[in-house]
Amino acid sequence: MKANIKGFFKPLVESLIAIIIGMLIGAIILAFSGYSPTEAYVALFDGALGSKYGWAMTLSAATPIILTALTFGLGARTGLFNIGAEGTVYFGAIAAIIFTNILGNVLIGLLGGIIAGLVWMSIPAFLKVFRGVNEVVSTIMLNWMAYFIALYIVLQKIPNPDDPNKTIAVPVSARFPIVIRGTELSWAFVISVAAALIAYYILWHTTLGYELRVSGYNERAARYGGINPKKAVIWSFLLGGIMSGLAGATEVMGRPPSYAISQGMANIYGYGFDGIGVSLVGRNHPIGIIFSGIFFGMLKAGATAMQIEAGVPLEMVRMVQGIIVVTVAIPGLLDLLKRGVRK
Amino acid sequence: MKNRGLAVFLIGVLLFSVAISGCIGGGEKTETQTTTPQYAGKIAVVYDVGGRGDLSFNDMAYLGASKAAKEFNLELKEVQSNTESDYLPNLRSLAQTGEYNLIIAVGFMMTDAVTQVADEFPDQKFAIVDGFIPDKPNVVSILFKENEGSALIGALAGLIAANDGKDKVGAVLGIEIPVLYKFEGGYRFGIKWAEEYYKQKTGNDVKIDLLYTYTGSFTDPAKGKTAAQAQLGQGAWVIYQIAGAVGLGVFDAVDEYLKSQGKEMGPPFAVGVDSAQDWIKPGVIIASMMKRVDVGVYKAVEMAIKGNWQGGIMELGLNEQGVGVSTIDAVKEMFNSLPEDTKQQKLKELGLASEDELFAKLEETRKQVPDWIWQAVAELEEKIKSGEIKVPMATTKDQIEAIREAKTWQEMEDLAKQWESS
């Protein structure tokens, strides 16, 4: 029990210190560029947490990145460096649009996202287990393949005839209801938190989760203990696929105003990569990921306020946020590296 | 061990805060210099993901908004969008404050977001550039008759080619969206008009083909360069770029082609778009089709401030100076709106000593084209303005196909009348 508390508090304290250091560095850069750091940070926190609207923005921004972080986190727990969430998000979104246009129902849309995620993630899983292909290489390549295949589908197969700039939209009957009117917070947030809780339950309260984690710590020991590490790897990929497939689906079903994919996939691009950072900050722990996802969401929501209220240009806002994110991710990264070296 | 780490950390914090407090003082100093204490109101501009610094669309919007802000003594707030999902939050956060006399959304991609926010905040006035939101009293949609301006470019390009005994001109376009059909259709109309004008003037029959490429991007100059190189290889004599930043690659391709021929000035020429882009590569760019986003934005602000607000469509054509062929004066105005160090750097890149030298070179570029051609373009302009000639405005795939198949400009004009009456 004592070890457990220590295992919880140490990362928390480390993260808090990292946030403070990151903010201090950001403050210096802001000040040297002629902007008031106090004004900027007050705007950031006030915009993201100071009102019901701000909270809604923060949580809605956290929704997709919690899910993609779970993909990376589940992989990392099994000793994998799975960065294929990005491509999986595209197919999750496309499947959700196609499925809901056939049958306008939220559950059907989520099912579409799950199936797309499972199918796409089974490719690197197969390559890893049966051909020994390193998942870093395969998922990077698959991300690019996904990008161009998805682009083709978006442009050629499901474009909106009235507005060629985007795809057909998810029908009204399959959209997530908005929780607070006049915000973007939809019930999709609940899905992502539930997914994180389920991932936590699987990892620490089921035999499968035990097998996943043991394979991550030491493959040989796992085999000695009667665990098939191949099975663990496949499960880790597939569960991860479900998570980022859902991220794509919830994004098109839950974010106003367009409920569609726009050309160049501009509105769903990048969530997979953001997820890596979110997972590192959350120490690849599903519960940690919920909080770090909300932290990232806060930075996103606060960016608007920093521009409008403190007059800091977007480029500067992003730079400061980037610095904070990097410093916050460092402890998690070191953790991951240490474990890799030990193995 | 632990204590030492803590001590180092605390000292670090101390140093940081000292450094910062010094800087904050500095920050405030600059602030008092720049803020003007009095203003009659506030306006806000929300840029799309392209953002400021594109030397065309978004910068033109800023030009109009800043001019209006200065003239009407308004505070101008600029907001940039990082991704497409920022449009709605950006607009909402501004509208929520209730402080702004007008919120201007730059770019048709914000149409959905503006539609939604306009319903949520019925008392807030909005303007959208290029977006079509016809039936909301609190939204004005600023649209342009790009077809009219492009017709003039078509006439210019067609006559330059005909005059040099060539039979092809080119167009490099961005993503295939309805707005670009307006450009393409107008350009085709102008080329056909040039064919007939040339025949009447010289008695020689000419046929000028259009090579056109939709690159599928507004942001990748490499794509524009490849497309333009292919067109030059096939003999295109003037290439009209309608592709945002992709067009910068078109300018490069024509520039390199000229250099490989040992020439410093065209033909072949490129044509710029949206702002007066001639200064970007003097000698290469013969003129630009100006889409005066600045004029539209200025008019919208004026309307909102002076109390004669009217929601709906504001359509600007040749008559309203919403579109037109660039003049040297227009280039000067655009160039002078750049920050001073950018100007100096640009001149250095171009290998020119002063602004005067730049404008002299632009004059010389224009002299490569005989006077009668410029006059012919002016003639067409007058005829369109007076309503004697009607340029078709294609906004759907079917309409642009019909124009592509038309053999003469009169046929296209018939299409224009047909669409107008329906």
Side-chain angles (χ1 to χ4, degrees), chain B residues 157-205:
Chain B
L159 289 173
I160 292 174
N163 190 43
D164 291 335
K166 305 286 172 182
D167 62 353
K168 286 191 186 76
V169 293
V172 173
L173 303 107
I175 299 172
E176 202 166 341
I177 49 172
V179 186
L180 293 210
Y181 291 152
K182 292 206 256 175
F183 285 92
E184 189 199 323
Y187 190 46
R188 284 178 182 277
F189 180 93
I191 296 167
K192 290 289 163 204
W193 185 86
E195 279 180 2
E196 192 184 296
Y197 187 93
Y198 189 76
K199 192 183 171 189
Q200 277 177 4
K201 187 175 167 67
T202 63
N204 295 331
D205 255 328

CSV table of all heavy atoms in Angstrom, one decimal, chain B residues 157-205:
chain,number,residue,atom,x,y,z
B,157,ALA,N,-4.0,37.5,-71.6
B,157,ALA,CA,-3.2,36.3,-71.9
B,157,ALA,C,-3.4,35.9,-73.3
B,157,ALA,O,-2.4,35.6,-74.0
B,157,ALA,CB,-3.6,35.2,-70.9
B,158,GLY,N,-4.6,35.8,-73.8
B,158,GLY,CA,-4.9,35.4,-75.1
B,158,GLY,C,-4.3,36.3,-76.2
B,158,GLY,O,-3.7,35.8,-77.1
B,159,LEU,N,-4.4,37.6,-75.9
B,159,LEU,CA,-3.8,38.5,-76.9
B,159,LEU,C,-2.2,38.5,-76.9
B,159,LEU,O,-1.6,38.6,-78.0
B,159,LEU,CB,-4.3,39.9,-76.6
B,159,LEU,CG,-5.8,40.2,-77.0
B,159,LEU,CD1,-6.2,41.5,-76.5
B,159,LEU,CD2,-6.0,40.0,-78.5
B,160,ILE,N,-1.6,38.3,-75.7
B,160,ILE,CA,-0.2,38.2,-75.7
B,160,ILE,C,0.3,37.0,-76.5
B,160,ILE,O,1.2,37.0,-77.3
B,160,ILE,CB,0.3,38.1,-74.2
B,160,ILE,CG1,0.1,39.4,-73.5
B,160,ILE,CG2,1.8,37.7,-74.2
B,160,ILE,CD1,0.4,39.3,-72.0
B,161,ALA,N,-0.4,35.8,-76.3
B,161,ALA,CA,-0.1,34.6,-77.0
B,161,ALA,C,-0.3,34.8,-78.5
B,161,ALA,O,0.6,34.5,-79.3
B,161,ALA,CB,-0.9,33.4,-76.5
B,162,ALA,N,-1.4,35.3,-78.9
B,162,ALA,CA,-1.8,35.5,-80.3
B,162,ALA,C,-0.7,36.4,-81.0
B,162,ALA,O,-0.2,36.2,-82.1
B,162,ALA,CB,-3.2,36.1,-80.5
B,163,ASN,N,-0.4,37.5,-80.3
B,163,ASN,CA,0.5,38.5,-80.8
B,163,ASN,C,1.9,37.9,-81.1
B,163,ASN,O,2.6,38.3,-82.0
B,163,ASN,CB,0.6,39.6,-79.8
B,163,ASN,CG,1.4,40.8,-80.4
B,163,ASN,OD1,1.2,41.2,-81.6
B,163,ASN,ND2,2.3,41.4,-79.6
B,164,ASP,N,2.3,36.9,-80.3
B,164,ASP,CA,3.6,36.2,-80.4
B,164,ASP,C,3.5,34.9,-81.3
B,164,ASP,O,4.4,34.2,-81.3
B,164,ASP,CB,4.2,35.9,-79.1
B,164,ASP,CG,4.6,37.1,-78.3
B,164,ASP,OD1,4.9,38.2,-79.0
B,164,ASP,OD2,4.6,37.1,-77.1
B,165,GLY,N,2.3,34.7,-81.9
B,165,GLY,CA,2.2,33.5,-82.7
B,165,GLY,C,2.1,32.2,-81.9
B,165,GLY,O,2.5,31.2,-82.5
B,166,LYS,N,1.6,32.3,-80.7
B,166,LYS,CA,1.5,31.1,-79.9
B,166,LYS,C,0.1,30.6,-79.8
B,166,LYS,O,-0.8,31.5,-80.1
B,166,LYS,CB,2.1,31.3,-78.5
B,166,LYS,CG,3.5,31.8,-78.5
B,166,LYS,CD,4.5,30.8,-78.8
B,166,LYS,CE,5.8,31.4,-79.0
B,166,LYS,NZ,6.9,30.5,-79.4
B,167,ASP,N,-0.2,29.4,-79.4
B,167,ASP,CA,-1.6,28.9,-79.4
B,167,ASP,C,-2.0,28.3,-78.1
B,167,ASP,O,-3.0,27.6,-78.0
B,167,ASP,CB,-1.8,28.0,-80.6
B,167,ASP,CG,-0.9,26.7,-80.4
B,167,ASP,OD1,-0.1,26.7,-79.5
B,167,ASP,OD2,-1.1,25.8,-81.2
B,168,LYS,N,-1.2,28.6,-77.0
B,168,LYS,CA,-1.6,28.0,-75.8
B,168,LYS,C,-1.4,28.9,-74.6
B,168,LYS,O,-0.3,29.6,-74.6
B,168,LYS,CB,-0.8,26.7,-75.5
B,168,LYS,CG,-1.3,25.5,-76.3
B,168,LYS,CD,-0.7,24.2,-75.8
B,168,LYS,CE,-1.0,23.1,-76.7
B,168,LYS,NZ,-0.2,23.1,-78.0
B,169,VAL,N,-2.3,29.0,-73.7
B,169,VAL,CA,-2.1,29.6,-72.4
B,169,VAL,C,-2.4,28.6,-71.3
B,169,VAL,O,-3.1,27.6,-71.5
B,169,VAL,CB,-2.9,30.9,-72.2
B,169,VAL,CG1,-2.5,32.0,-73.2
B,169,VAL,CG2,-4.4,30.6,-72.4
B,170,GLY,N,-2.0,29.0,-70.1
B,170,GLY,CA,-2.2,28.0,-69.0
B,170,GLY,C,-2.9,28.6,-67.8
B,170,GLY,O,-3.0,29.8,-67.7
B,171,ALA,N,-3.3,27.7,-66.9
B,171,ALA,CA,-3.9,28.1,-65.6
B,171,ALA,C,-3.5,27.0,-64.6
B,171,ALA,O,-3.7,25.8,-64.9
B,171,ALA,CB,-5.4,28.3,-65.7
B,172,VAL,N,-3.0,27.4,-63.5
B,172,VAL,CA,-2.7,26.5,-62.4
B,172,VAL,C,-3.6,26.9,-61.2
B,172,VAL,O,-3.6,28.0,-60.7
B,172,VAL,CB,-1.2,26.6,-61.9
B,172,VAL,CG1,-1.0,25.7,-60.7
B,172,VAL,CG2,-0.3,26.1,-63.0
B,173,LEU,N,-4.5,25.9,-60.9
B,173,LEU,CA,-5.5,26.2,-59.9
B,173,LEU,C,-5.3,25.4,-58.6
B,173,LEU,O,-4.5,24.4,-58.6
B,173,LEU,CB,-6.9,25.9,-60.4
B,173,LEU,CG,-7.3,26.6,-61.7
B,173,LEU,CD1,-7.2,25.7,-62.9
B,173,LEU,CD2,-8.6,27.3,-61.7
B,174,GLY,N,-6.0,25.8,-57.5
B,174,GLY,CA,-5.8,25.1,-56.3
B,174,GLY,C,-6.8,23.9,-56.2
B,174,GLY,O,-6.9,23.1,-57.1
B,175,ILE,N,-7.5,23.9,-55.1
B,175,ILE,CA,-8.5,22.8,-54.9
B,175,ILE,C,-9.7,23.0,-55.7
B,175,ILE,O,-10.1,24.2,-55.8
B,175,ILE,CB,-8.8,22.7,-53.3
B,175,ILE,CG1,-7.6,22.4,-52.5
B,175,ILE,CG2,-9.9,21.6,-53.1
B,175,ILE,CD1,-7.8,22.5,-51.0
B,176,GLU,N,-10.3,22.0,-56.2
B,176,GLU,CA,-11.5,22.2,-57.0
B,176,GLU,C,-12.7,22.5,-56.2
B,176,GLU,O,-13.5,21.7,-55.8
B,176,GLU,CB,-11.7,20.9,-57.9
B,176,GLU,CG,-12.5,21.2,-59.1
B,176,GLU,CD,-12.5,20.0,-60.1
B,176,GLU,OE1,-11.6,19.2,-60.0
B,176,GLU,OE2,-13.4,20.0,-61.0
B,177,ILE,N,-12.9,23.8,-56.0
B,177,ILE,CA,-14.1,24.3,-55.2
B,177,ILE,C,-14.8,25.3,-56.1
B,177,ILE,O,-14.3,25.9,-57.0
B,177,ILE,CB,-13.6,24.9,-53.9
B,177,ILE,CG1,-12.5,26.0,-54.2
B,177,ILE,CG2,-13.2,23.9,-52.9
B,177,ILE,CD1,-12.2,26.8,-53.0
B,178,PRO,N,-16.1,25.5,-55.8
B,178,PRO,CA,-16.9,26.4,-56.6
B,178,PRO,C,-16.3,27.7,-56.9
B,178,PRO,O,-16.5,28.3,-58.0
B,178,PRO,CB,-18.2,26.5,-55.8
B,178,PRO,CG,-18.3,25.3,-55.0
B,178,PRO,CD,-16.9,24.9,-54.7
B,179,VAL,N,-15.7,28.3,-55.9
B,179,VAL,CA,-15.1,29.7,-56.1
B,179,VAL,C,-14.1,29.6,-57.3
B,179,VAL,O,-14.1,30.6,-58.1
B,179,VAL,CB,-14.3,30.2,-54.9
B,179,VAL,CG1,-13.9,31.6,-55.1
B,179,VAL,CG2,-15.2,30.1,-53.7
B,180,LEU,N,-13.4,28.6,-57.5
B,180,LEU,CA,-12.4,28.5,-58.6
B,180,LEU,C,-13.0,28.3,-59.9
B,180,LEU,O,-12.5,28.8,-60.9
B,180,LEU,CB,-11.4,27.4,-58.3
B,180,LEU,CG,-10.4,27.6,-57.1
B,180,LEU,CD1,-9.1,26.9,-57.4
B,180,LEU,CD2,-10.2,29.0,-56.8
B,181,TYR,N,-14.2,27.8,-60.0
B,181,TYR,CA,-15.0,27.7,-61.2
B,181,TYR,C,-15.2,29.1,-61.8
B,181,TYR,O,-15.3,29.3,-63.0
B,181,TYR,CB,-16.3,26.9,-61.1
B,181,TYR,CG,-16.1,25.4,-60.8
B,181,TYR,CD1,-17.1,24.7,-60.1
B,181,TYR,CD2,-15.0,24.8,-61.3
B,181,TYR,CE1,-16.9,23.4,-59.9
B,181,TYR,CE2,-14.8,23.4,-61.1
B,181,TYR,CZ,-15.8,22.7,-60.4
B,181,TYR,OH,-15.7,21.4,-60.1
B,182,LYS,N,-15.5,30.0,-60.8
B,182,LYS,CA,-15.8,31.4,-61.3
B,182,LYS,C,-14.5,32.0,-62.0
B,182,LYS,O,-14.6,32.6,-63.0
B,182,LYS,CB,-16.1,32.3,-60.1
B,182,LYS,CG,-17.4,32.0,-59.4
B,182,LYS,CD,-18.0,33.2,-58.7
B,182,LYS,CE,-17.8,33.1,-57.2
B,182,LYS,NZ,-18.2,34.3,-56.5
B,183,PHE,N,-13.3,31.7,-61.4
B,183,PHE,CA,-12.1,32.2,-62.0
B,183,PHE,C,-11.9,31.5,-63.4
B,183,PHE,O,-11.7,32.2,-64.4
B,183,PHE,CB,-10.9,31.8,-61.2
B,183,PHE,CG,-10.7,32.6,-59.9
B,183,PHE,CD1,-11.2,32.2,-58.7
B,183,PHE,CD2,-9.9,33.7,-60.0
B,183,PHE,CE1,-11.0,33.0,-57.6
B,183,PHE,CE2,-9.7,34.5,-58.8
B,183,PHE,CZ,-10.2,34.1,-57.6
B,184,GLU,N,-12.0,30.2,-63.4
B,184,GLU,CA,-11.7,29.4,-64.6
B,184,GLU,C,-12.7,29.8,-65.8
B,184,GLU,O,-12.3,30.1,-66.9
B,184,GLU,CB,-11.8,27.9,-64.4
B,184,GLU,CG,-11.3,27.1,-65.6
B,184,GLU,CD,-11.8,25.6,-65.5
B,184,GLU,OE1,-11.9,25.0,-64.5
B,184,GLU,OE2,-12.1,25.1,-66.6
B,185,GLY,N,-14.0,29.9,-65.4
B,185,GLY,CA,-14.9,30.3,-66.4
B,185,GLY,C,-14.7,31.7,-67.0
B,185,GLY,O,-14.7,31.9,-68.2
B,186,GLY,N,-14.4,32.6,-66.2
B,186,GLY,CA,-14.1,34.0,-66.6
B,186,GLY,C,-12.9,34.0,-67.5
B,186,GLY,O,-12.9,34.7,-68.6
B,187,TYR,N,-11.9,33.3,-67.1
B,187,TYR,CA,-10.6,33.2,-67.9
B,187,TYR,C,-10.9,32.7,-69.3
B,187,TYR,O,-10.4,33.2,-70.3
B,187,TYR,CB,-9.6,32.3,-67.1
B,187,TYR,CG,-8.2,32.3,-67.6
B,187,TYR,CD1,-7.5,33.5,-67.9
B,187,TYR,CD2,-7.5,31.1,-67.7
B,187,TYR,CE1,-6.2,33.4,-68.2
B,187,TYR,CE2,-6.2,31.0,-68.0
B,187,TYR,CZ,-5.5,32.2,-68.3
B,187,TYR,OH,-4.2,32.2,-68.7
B,188,ARG,N,-11.6,31.6,-69.3
B,188,ARG,CA,-11.9,31.0,-70.6
B,188,ARG,C,-12.7,32.0,-71.5
B,188,ARG,O,-12.4,32.1,-72.7
B,188,ARG,CB,-12.8,29.8,-70.4
B,188,ARG,CG,-12.0,28.6,-70.0
B,188,ARG,CD,-13.0,27.4,-69.7
B,188,ARG,NE,-12.2,26.2,-69.2
B,188,ARG,CZ,-11.5,25.4,-70.0
B,188,ARG,NH1,-11.5,25.6,-71.3
B,188,ARG,NH2,-10.8,24.4,-69.4
B,189,PHE,N,-13.6,32.7,-70.9
B,189,PHE,CA,-14.4,33.7,-71.6
B,189,PHE,C,-13.4,34.8,-72.2
B,189,PHE,O,-13.5,35.1,-73.4
B,189,PHE,CB,-15.4,34.4,-70.7
B,189,PHE,CG,-16.2,35.5,-71.3
B,189,PHE,CD1,-17.5,35.1,-71.8
B,189,PHE,CD2,-15.8,36.8,-71.4
B,189,PHE,CE1,-18.3,36.1,-72.4
B,189,PHE,CE2,-16.6,37.7,-72.0
B,189,PHE,CZ,-17.8,37.4,-72.5
B,190,GLY,N,-12.5,35.2,-71.4
B,190,GLY,CA,-11.6,36.3,-71.9
B,190,GLY,C,-10.7,35.8,-73.1
B,190,GLY,O,-10.5,36.5,-74.0
B,191,ILE,N,-10.3,34.5,-73.0
B,191,ILE,CA,-9.4,34.0,-74.0
B,191,ILE,C,-10.2,33.9,-75.4
B,191,ILE,O,-9.7,34.3,-76.4
B,191,ILE,CB,-9.0,32.6,-73.6
B,191,ILE,CG1,-8.1,32.6,-72.4
B,191,ILE,CG2,-8.2,31.9,-74.8
B,191,ILE,CD1,-7.8,31.3,-71.7
B,192,LYS,N,-11.4,33.5,-75.3
B,192,LYS,CA,-12.3,33.4,-76.5
B,192,LYS,C,-12.5,34.8,-77.1
B,192,LYS,O,-12.5,35.0,-78.3
B,192,LYS,CB,-13.6,32.7,-76.2
B,192,LYS,CG,-13.5,31.2,-75.9
B,192,LYS,CD,-13.1,30.5,-77.2
B,192,LYS,CE,-12.6,29.1,-76.8
B,192,LYS,NZ,-11.7,28.5,-77.9
B,193,TRP,N,-12.7,35.7,-76.2
B,193,TRP,CA,-13.0,37.1,-76.6
B,193,TRP,C,-11.7,37.7,-77.3
B,193,TRP,O,-11.8,38.3,-78.3
B,193,TRP,CB,-13.3,38.0,-75.4
B,193,TRP,CG,-13.7,39.4,-75.7
B,193,TRP,CD1,-14.9,39.9,-76.1
B,193,TRP,CD2,-12.8,40.5,-75.7
B,193,TRP,NE1,-14.9,41.2,-76.3
B,193,TRP,CE2,-13.6,41.7,-76.1
B,193,TRP,CE3,-11.4,40.7,-75.5
B,193,TRP,CZ2,-13.0,42.9,-76.3
B,193,TRP,CZ3,-10.9,42.0,-75.6
B,193,TRP,CH2,-11.7,43.1,-76.0
B,194,ALA,N,-10.5,37.3,-76.8
B,194,ALA,CA,-9.3,37.7,-77.4
B,194,ALA,C,-9.1,37.2,-78.8
B,194,ALA,O,-8.7,37.8,-79.7
B,194,ALA,CB,-8.1,37.3,-76.5
B,195,GLU,N,-9.5,35.9,-79.0
B,195,GLU,CA,-9.4,35.3,-80.3
B,195,GLU,C,-10.2,36.1,-81.3
B,195,GLU,O,-9.6,36.5,-82.4
B,195,GLU,CB,-10.1,33.9,-80.3
B,195,GLU,CG,-9.2,32.8,-79.8
B,195,GLU,CD,-9.9,31.4,-79.8
B,195,GLU,OE1,-11.1,31.3,-80.2
B,195,GLU,OE2,-9.3,30.5,-79.3
B,196,GLU,N,-11.4,36.5,-81.0
B,196,GLU,CA,-12.2,37.3,-81.9
B,196,GLU,C,-11.6,38.7,-82.1
B,196,GLU,O,-11.5,39.2,-83.3
B,196,GLU,CB,-13.6,37.4,-81.5
B,196,GLU,CG,-14.5,37.9,-82.6
B,196,GLU,CD,-15.9,38.1,-82.2
B,196,GLU,OE1,-16.6,37.1,-81.9
B,196,GLU,OE2,-16.4,39.2,-82.2
B,197,TYR,N,-11.2,39.3,-81.0
B,197,TYR,CA,-10.6,40.7,-81.1
B,197,TYR,C,-9.4,40.7,-82.0
B,197,TYR,O,-9.3,41.5,-82.9
B,197,TYR,CB,-10.3,41.1,-79.7
B,197,TYR,CG,-9.8,42.6,-79.6
B,197,TYR,CD1,-10.7,43.6,-79.3
B,197,TYR,CD2,-8.5,42.9,-79.9
B,197,TYR,CE1,-10.3,44.9,-79.3
B,197,TYR,CE2,-8.1,44.3,-79.8
B,197,TYR,CZ,-9.0,45.2,-79.5
B,197,TYR,OH,-8.6,46.6,-79.5
B,198,TYR,N,-8.6,39.6,-81.9
B,198,TYR,CA,-7.4,39.6,-82.7
B,198,TYR,C,-7.7,39.4,-84.1
B,198,TYR,O,-7.1,40.0,-85.0
B,198,TYR,CB,-6.5,38.4,-82.2
B,198,TYR,CG,-5.1,38.4,-82.8
B,198,TYR,CD1,-4.1,39.2,-82.4
B,198,TYR,CD2,-4.8,37.5,-83.8
B,198,TYR,CE1,-2.9,39.2,-82.9
B,198,TYR,CE2,-3.6,37.5,-84.4
B,198,TYR,CZ,-2.6,38.3,-83.9
B,198,TYR,OH,-1.3,38.3,-84.5
B,199,LYS,N,-8.7,38.6,-84.4
B,199,LYS,CA,-9.1,38.4,-85.8
B,199,LYS,C,-9.6,39.7,-86.4
B,199,LYS,O,-9.3,40.0,-87.6
B,199,LYS,CB,-10.2,37.3,-85.8
B,199,LYS,CG,-10.5,36.8,-87.3
B,199,LYS,CD,-11.6,35.8,-87.3
B,199,LYS,CE,-11.9,35.6,-88.8
B,199,LYS,NZ,-13.1,34.8,-89.0
B,200,GLN,N,-10.4,40.4,-85.7
B,200,GLN,CA,-10.9,41.7,-86.2
B,200,GLN,C,-9.8,42.7,-86.4
B,200,GLN,O,-9.8,43.5,-87.4
B,200,GLN,CB,-12.0,42.3,-85.2
B,200,GLN,CG,-13.3,41.6,-85.4
B,200,GLN,CD,-14.3,42.2,-84.4
B,200,GLN,OE1,-14.0,43.0,-83.6
B,200,GLN,NE2,-15.5,41.6,-84.5
B,201,LYS,N,-8.8,42.6,-85.6
B,201,LYS,CA,-7.8,43.6,-85.7
B,201,LYS,C,-6.8,43.3,-86.8
B,201,LYS,O,-6.4,44.2,-87.5
B,201,LYS,CB,-7.0,43.7,-84.3
B,201,LYS,CG,-6.0,44.8,-84.3
B,201,LYS,CD,-5.3,45.0,-83.0
B,201,LYS,CE,-4.1,45.9,-83.0
B,201,LYS,NZ,-4.4,47.3,-83.3
B,202,THR,N,-6.4,42.0,-86.9
B,202,THR,CA,-5.4,41.7,-87.9
B,202,THR,C,-5.9,40.9,-89.1
B,202,THR,O,-5.2,40.7,-90.1
B,202,THR,CB,-4.3,40.8,-87.2
B,202,THR,OG1,-4.9,39.6,-86.8
B,202,THR,CG2,-3.7,41.5,-86.0
B,203,GLY,N,-7.1,40.4,-89.0
B,203,GLY,CA,-7.6,39.6,-90.1
B,203,GLY,C,-7.1,38.1,-90.0
B,203,GLY,O,-7.5,37.3,-90.9
B,204,ASN,N,-6.3,37.8,-89.0
B,204,ASN,CA,-5.7,36.4,-88.9
B,204,ASN,C,-6.6,35.6,-87.9
B,204,ASN,O,-6.9,36.1,-86.9
B,204,ASN,CB,-4.3,36.4,-88.4
B,204,ASN,CG,-3.4,37.1,-89.4
B,204,ASN,OD1,-3.6,37.1,-90.6
B,204,ASN,ND2,-2.3,37.7,-88.9
B,205,ASP,N,-6.9,34.4,-88.4
B,205,ASP,CA,-7.6,33.5,-87.5
B,205,ASP,C,-6.6,32.9,-86.4
B,205,ASP,O,-5.5,32.5,-86.8
B,205,ASP,CB,-8.1,32.3,-88.3
B,205,ASP,CG,-9.6,32.4,-88.5
B,205,ASP,OD1,-10.2,32.9,-87.6
B,205,ASP,OD2,-10.1,32.0,-89.5
